[in-house]
Amino acid sequence: MPTVRQATLDLLRSLGITTIFGNPGSTEMPFLDRFPGDFRYVLGLQESCVVGMADGFARASGQAAFVNLHSAAGVGHALGNIFTAQRNQAPLVITAGQQVRALLPNQPFLGATEAANFPKPYVKFSIEPARAEDVPAAIAQAFRIAQRRPCGPCFVSIPADDWARPCEAPMPRILSADVAPDPALIVQAAQALAASRKPVLVAGPEVDQEGMGEAFVALAEAIGAPVLTSPFASRIAFPEDHPLFAGFLAAAPQAVSDALAPFDCVLVVGAPVFTFHVAGEAAIFRGGVPIFHLTADGETAASAPAGTSILGSLRFAIPALHAALPEMHRTPPAPRIAAPPPLPADPIPAAWLLHRLQLAIPENAILVEEAPSHRPAMQAQMPRTRWGSFFTMASGGLGYSLPAAIGVALAKPDQRVVCLIGDGSMMYSPQALWTAVQHGLKVTTVVINNGGYGAMRSIGQAMQVRDIPGIDLPGLDFVRIAEGMGCPAIRVTHPDAVDSALREACHAEGPMLVEVVVDAAIPTLYHKA
């Protein structure tokens, strides 16, 4: 009989999982002993970085990622990005070492109390197997659940002495990841869209996540309706150069209601109805406008305040809805007016920096973003036109995008990955640069330094609060931070130096960081309360 360790490694091989993200400790050593040469171990210098890298890798590759953390302390460090992975619908199998079983009754050093409960409720499945021989089967079950829609992280706690115990290898199994929508409700949605005079589509990240981009574009063209991107979409939802693209919904009830008010039927595809960040009245839910909702996320469907939610994988729902539609001949909406190119100035306007960055990055580059206060400017100046070309976090928790960019680069080694990140966000996970250097990854990190937490400044304006402590960040030197981890870096303070710095960083052989000091003025993200 194989050992638990041998059975687990064979299971990973059978699943095509040969990359392991981790930060090892003593309770993981029996698993890592004589690490096999056909596996790649990606070391992150802090467990939150480890999970963020695995999340980016899973989302970019479309394959579940395997993570190995260190007992309760490591899981605690990682919880912020575990929460983000859940909101991102990133398929992860997270394992954590546990003390040997004989010591657990006596509260040992590094023993995890109620280990399986610790990461809840932000994992889909969590277990510390009752017997050592059940560990490989638990890991196999975690992989199946992680990849069932909606995808998400799963957790297995493994006592250190389990790895050497004999066990039976888990039987190979197939579990469908998809569920089909209700055909009668699909017909009802098609009839409502056909009868409407002025429908609108709201698209979300599930479209890109399920690889249904081209099918969704065909659906939108068949309906002949404008398409808006859902609030806080964590991936590209619709090509932003398409004639039907109508812009982005803000995460505010009044703003969403105002944007949807001209329309008499709303179809939401692959997004919640709706994600809000500030309070307010949402007249759209009380106006009687039909809302139809296609999603694979049962919790999102159940929590929608209004409308008809049709639960099912978009792989089935989008083609089914398209097939149920009659032929329609609508006058296409007027094309969206593109934002004019901003002008350079001193201090550097953030919008102008983003305009120049769009010109500097390679055509097939992947953008990973965590600069919340500059999101509107990024959307205006850096349109995403290719499926799979944009990632950010759906949770709002900082410290995700730099490690995620490393994971994306590991999954897509032939493409340039550009991490666009604020100075506040950068300080949550700068250790990820070290991993990029060790693997020679094509990651360009552009730090937008506006001297503080710009999103807090902007939201403070919207909430009409003043004199908030803790939002200014003077004295940070990102060039020295990067160079201390072996990453070349340059600091830009004048517009004349922006283009050359961005060109150099976007065509470097390996990772490079550019810190750009920009005007501290920030836009108002939402309407004032």
Side-chain angles (χ1 to χ4, degrees):
M1 294 178 69
T3 65
V4 168
R5 180 178 184 271
Q6 290 166 342
T8 298
L9 291 172
D10 287 342
L11 169 67
L12 296 178
R13 291 184 181 103
S14 72
L15 295 170
I17 309 294
T18 56
T19 296
I20 296 176
F21 296 87
N23 182 280
S26 57
T27 54
E28 293 71 52
M29 291 177 70
F31 172 59
L32 301 173
D33 179 35
R34 285 162 286 187
F35 193 68
D38 58 328
F39 281 77
R40 172 174 62 173
Y41 188 87
V42 179
L43 173 62
L45 300 185
Q46 204 265 7
E47 288 90 345
S48 183
C49 287
V50 169
V51 172
M53 289 189 291
D55 179 313
F57 182 87
R59 296 173 78 198
S61 67
Q63 178 186 56
F66 188 80
V67 182
N68 187 226
L69 303 178
H70 179 42
S71 192
V75 176
H77 290 159
L79 272 176
N81 272 337
I82 292 174
F83 166 64
T84 293
Q86 187 245 10
R87 294 299 176 92
N88 287 346
Q89 299 187 5
L92 306 181
V93 173
I94 302 169
T95 60
Q98 169 69 293
Q99 259 292 7
V100 298
R101 290 181 183 268
L103 294 179
L104 289 178
N106 299 316
Q107 295 187 340
F109 189 69
L110 290 176
T113 304
E114 297 189 28
N117 286 330
F118 192 17
K120 292 179 179 178
Y122 300 116
V123 290
K124 296 179 66 180
F125 169 77
S126 188
I127 191 172
E128 184 174 277
R131 307 181 305 164
E133 50 265 47
D134 296 329
V135 167
I139 293 174
Q141 184 178 2
F143 268 104
R144 292 192 290 269
I145 294 173
Q147 295 178 103
R148 190 185 67 207
R149 302 197 190 284
C151 300
C154 293
F155 178 78
V156 183
S157 172
I158 306 169
D161 53 338
D162 283 6
W163 294 108
R165 294 287 298 274
C167 72
E168 290 188 3
M171 295 290 291
R173 290 203 56 225
I174 295 174
L175 174 64
S176 171
D178 295 299
V179 293
D182 184 328
L185 291 179
I186 288 288
V187 169
Q188 189 181 123
Q191 291 172 343
L193 288 163
S196 67
R197 292 178 294 101
K198 197 173 181 182
V200 64
L201 279 59
V202 177
E206 287 179 55
V207 175
D208 191 34
Q209 178 181 306
E210 292 199 29
M212 293 305 296
E214 292 183 7
F216 180 66
V217 170
L219 174 65
E221 290 173 347
I223 297 171
V227 181
L228 292 159
T229 291
S230 63
F232 284 126
S234 61
R235 303 173 73 130
I236 180 175
F238 197 73
E240 295 164 22
D241 60 349
H242 192 282
L244 291 177
F245 181 66
F248 303 86
L249 288 178
Q254 186 63 53
V256 168
S257 295
D258 291 347
L260 299 181
F263 302 100
D264 63 356
C265 186
V266 179
L267 174 66
V268 181
V269 180
V273 181
F274 294 97
T275 299
F276 296 135
H277 189 198
V278 294
E281 289 295 321
I284 184 66
F285 298 139
R286 294 180 284 99
V289 174
I291 299 174
F292 290 90
H293 180 206
L294 306 184
T295 182
D297 187 337
E299 290 188 12
T300 290
S303 66
T308 300
S309 289
I310 306 174
L311 191 61
S313 303
L314 299 189
R315 187 165 73 88
F316 298 141
I318 290 174
L321 180 57
H322 194 169
L325 289 171
E327 188 172 351
M328 289 177 280
H329 301 282
R330 286 195 175 93
T331 302
R336 182 170 177 252
I337 300 173
L343 298 174
D346 189 6
I348 298 170
W352 182 77
L353 165 65
L354 298 171
H355 169 65
R356 304 313 296 178
L357 178 60
Q358 177 73 354
L359 297 176
I361 62 176
E363 186 176 349
N364 69 340
I366 299 171
L367 181 65
V368 184
E369 175 263 338
E370 192 176 304
S373 60
H374 301 296
R375 178 79 69 88
M378 182 205 74
Q379 291 169 341
Q381 303 301 329
M382 303 189 71
R384 300 292 87 207
T385 61
R386 292 180 299 101
W387 299 106
S389 67
F390 175 68
F391 297 93
T392 187
M393 73 326 196
S395 67
L398 302 184
Y400 166 76
S401 289
L402 181 57
I406 309 309
V408 171
L410 287 163
K412 303 287 184 180
D414 296 329
Q415 292 178 250
R416 171 65 55 176
V417 177
V418 177
C419 179
L420 182 66
I421 191 165
D423 51 340
S425 295
M426 181 68 189
M427 291 309 299
Y428 279 75
S429 51
Q431 308 95 324
L433 287 175
W434 181 88
T435 304
V437 171
Q438 298 306 306
H439 291 268
L441 301 176
K442 297 178 182 178
V443 177
T444 301
T445 303
V446 179
V447 180
I448 306 178
N449 186 348
N450 63 2
Y453 296 116
M456 290 288 290
R457 294 170 179 162
S458 181
I459 294 168
Q461 292 175 3
M463 297 177 65
Q464 299 186 34
V465 296
R466 297 180 299 173
D467 302 326
I468 306 169
I471 62 175
D472 294 325
L473 300 173
L476 294 173
D477 189 333
F478 294 99
V479 170
R480 296 178 70 179
I481 290 171
E483 290 177 343
M485 285 178 277
C487 179
I490 187 170
R491 190 171 199 256
V492 176
T493 59
H494 193 273
D496 289 349
V498 164
D499 286 348
S500 60
L502 293 178
R503 279 196 303 270
E504 180 181 358
C506 288
H507 295 87
E509 289 295 320
M512 185 171 178
L513 179 144
V514 179
E515 175 191 357
V516 184
V517 179
V518 301
D519 191 341
I522 46 90
T524 300
L525 296 179
Y526 309 117
H527 297 299
K528 291 185 179 180

